[in-house]
Amino acid sequence: MNHATDGPIDVTGQEGERLHISGLFVGFVSGLPQLLFPLFAAIFGVRKSDNPALIPIIIGAVLALSLLFRWLGWRRFRYHVGGHDIRVEKGILNRTARSIPYDRIQDVSFEQKPLARMMGLSEVKFETGGGDGDDATLRFVTLEEANRLRALIRARKAGLTEAHNVRKIVEPEDAETIFAMDGQRVFILGLYSFSLVIFAVLGGLTQQFDFLLPFDFWDFKHWIGLAEERGVSVKQINGVGLFARLILAFGAVGSLIFIGFATGVVRTYLREHGFRLDQTNKGFRRRRGLLTLTDVVMPTHRVQAAVVQTGPIRKRRGWHSLKFVSLAQDSKEESNFVAAPFATLSEVWRIAQAATFAPPDGDERLQRGAAKYWFTQLLVIVPVVLAGMAALVVFADAAVGRTIVLLLLLVLPGALFWLDWRQYRFGLDDHQLYLERGWWQQQLTIAPKVKVQSIEIAQGPLARRQGLASLRFGIAGGTLEMIALPLATAVAIRDTVMEKVAAVDYSAINQSH
């Protein structure tokens, strides 16, 4: 495990190694956005002062203090590469030392953001399977040193002792690219990734910094006044014909759609550019990113489950994605390792089989849940629907609008529950569990029986009266739950899986090799 202590520390009698000095500049520039709010607050506080020279003085003081504290942090940060572990010492006033044994480090991943790439630097993250976060990260070292650390740790884990002079990582001879995405595929994925997040960002910035504007952004009377100043009166606006209004409406909607597609394409290109997945003797190595380049290795033994995702539109075109659920990672985001963000079904199963997952042997192995479970859930929300209908009848004026909303209140919940029941299926075979669910975001989860760590049968009051139960399987990195099972079926599945689990030596199954 990792160990941390406080106070003066001299764990080896050696000074250890510092991070690269250029990383101080990279960190300072990367941290400038975090200083925007205190800078704007300080400027706002002195903007009515009679001495305008205070503004540049305050800006310089804030930047100087930020740089000073980063320099002190850099001076007090050292890492020691020992015979059995890597030790990280840091802290300006309170010193801490964290020991990370080699046998706890699953692998080493790199991340290079734009400025760091320009200066030949990289962040090194030690994947330990714990929740250490920044304590297991070196920001920043040269790419050569990052490669040396990765090679050294792999050598130590393999039982080798002479690895200090390794200066460059060498891909194993059996490394094979099993999936890659060219520019055209990334562009198509971007079109499917329609996003209006840019409006959320602009809205958030407007709310945060509206005090810098000379007017209230949300004051519509102000905008009408601006229009009138330019010779456009309210009567003229109201006098625009129906056809012209329709053209303006279609133009606004079209612009919104274009911005949504453009935002999705840009975000996808930034994240997935140059996507490449290699299979090595250690596991899966993924490299991707246009501005921020990431290089992550997922050892095969850490993969706990496979998740195949698609949607009604993507599925018609044959597109799917594949994720691996892994042991708990230093970064919560990486607990789901994206192995193929946009692939055909044949490509997905080729990758999944490389991780020892097999597709269901025909649909006959998958069963639907009891329909009465969904019907009961629908009945539970009936009082809410009736209350909404009553309020609509009392307060609504437009008969046509009232009729449309009434139909939606009656039909929409039933349609959603029916779609959820139709898409939900569960099953198992000799080696794996299967769970398929979701009508809009369709998801098939596959988990090996031997990776199950716990099984729980749950019954609520309504489920007990119906003779139904839910099965919750605990796996490292998440859970898998089958619902709407007859109690006898749930017990039979539990006994079958427990028989398989009982024969597993868990002291060795998740150890690296």
Side-chain angles (χ1 to χ4, degrees), residues 54 80 87 92 99 140 144 195 200 209 212 218 232 237 255 265 276 287 304 314 371 412 417 464 511:
L54 286 176
H80 305 258
R87 286 180 287 273
I92 299 175
S99 175
F140 294 86
E144 183 182 18
S195 174
F209 303 111
L212 297 175
W218 304 107
V232 181
I237 296 175
S255 299
V265 170
R276 176 181 169 186
R287 283 166 283 187
Q304 305 297 302
R314 294 189 184 193
L412 188 60
F417 278 102
R464 282 199 300 270
Q511 297 296 319

Side-chain angles (χ1 to χ4, degrees), residues 39-344:
L39 283 173
F40 281 134
I43 293 172
F44 181 76
V46 301
R47 66 177 181 173
K48 296 182 180 180
S49 172
D50 294 333
N51 187 2
L54 286 176
I55 293 179
I57 292 175
I58 289 177
I59 294 175
V62 172
L63 296 178
L65 281 175
S66 174
L67 184 59
L68 174 63
F69 280 108
R70 287 187 179 276
W71 179 78
L72 289 174
W74 173 82
R75 287 276 302 175
R76 302 290 284 169
F77 189 104
R78 296 180 184 274
Y79 63 96
H80 305 258
V81 181
H84 304 285
D85 58 15
I86 286 182
R87 286 180 287 273
V88 177
E89 300 179 19
K90 66 178 184 177
I92 299 175
L93 297 178
N94 294 325
R95 297 286 289 163
T96 62
R98 183 168 295 275
S99 175
I100 309 173
Y102 291 127
D103 60 357
R104 298 295 185 186
I105 299 176
Q106 302 294 337
D107 211 284
V108 181
S109 62
F110 303 158
E111 182 173 308
Q112 289 183 287
K113 294 180 179 178
L115 187 57
R117 289 179 68 182
M118 290 174 59
M119 305 191 70
L121 302 178
S122 175
E123 293 185 30
V124 180
K125 298 182 180 182
F126 301 108
E127 305 289 351
T128 63
D132 300 326
D134 290 345
D135 288 332
T137 302
L138 302 180
R139 302 184 178 94
F140 294 86
V141 298
T142 63
L143 189 57
E144 183 182 18
E145 173 67 2
N147 283 321
R148 186 187 75 86
L149 287 171
R150 173 184 275 179
L152 171 63
I153 290 173
R154 287 182 177 177
R156 295 293 192 191
K157 291 174 67 66
L160 304 177
T161 58
E162 297 297 331
H164 291 283
N165 294 324
V166 176
R167 305 307 300 176
K168 185 170 70 172
I169 187 87
V170 178
E171 282 295 307
E173 292 182 0
D174 60 347
E176 176 188 1
T177 299
I178 58 176
F179 180 74
M181 292 173 56
D182 57 17
Q184 180 180 0
R185 185 173 295 199
V186 173
F187 177 75
I188 297 174
L189 174 58
L191 294 178
Y192 280 102
S193 305
F194 181 90
S195 174
L196 294 176
V197 68
I198 185 64
F199 291 101
V201 173
L202 293 176
L205 291 175
T206 302
Q207 286 187 335
Q208 289 293 327
F209 303 111
D210 58 352
F211 62 87
L212 297 175
L213 298 175
F215 58 89
D216 185 359
F217 183 83
W218 304 107
D219 185 1
F220 293 103
K221 292 182 179 179
H222 175 79
W223 293 108
I224 294 175
L226 288 179
E228 291 178 342
E229 289 178 4
R230 286 159 177 76
V232 181
S233 66
V234 177
K235 288 185 177 181
Q236 288 176 313
I237 296 175
N238 293 331
V240 175
L242 176 62
F243 182 72
R245 291 187 184 187
L246 288 176
I247 292 177
L248 291 174
F250 279 118
V253 173
S255 299
L256 194 67
I257 293 174
F258 173 79
I259 292 173
F261 279 118
T263 303
V265 170
V266 170
R267 293 179 65 205
T268 303
Y269 256 107
L270 292 176
R271 183 180 64 248
E272 307 295 354
H273 175 76
F275 188 100
R276 176 181 169 186
L277 184 72
D278 295 334
Q279 183 182 12
T280 72
N281 58 356
K282 291 291 184 181
F284 300 95
R285 182 183 183 187
R286 185 193 67 201
R287 283 166 283 187
R288 64 176 179 177
L290 180 61
L291 298 180
T292 299
L293 177 64
T294 59
D295 186 345
V296 181
V297 175
M298 172 63 66
T300 305
H301 68 272
R302 297 187 67 186
V303 178
Q304 305 297 302
V307 179
V308 181
Q309 292 180 327
T310 187
I313 300 176
R314 294 189 184 193
K315 191 174 183 178
R316 291 180 65 87
R317 306 298 299 176
W319 297 114
H320 299 72
S321 67
L322 174 65
K323 297 180 180 179
F324 290 144
V325 178
S326 71
L327 293 168
Q329 301 251 351
D330 299 327
S331 170
K332 185 177 179 180
E333 182 181 352
E334 289 299 327
S335 61
N336 287 333
F337 180 89
V338 180
F342 200 62
T344 63

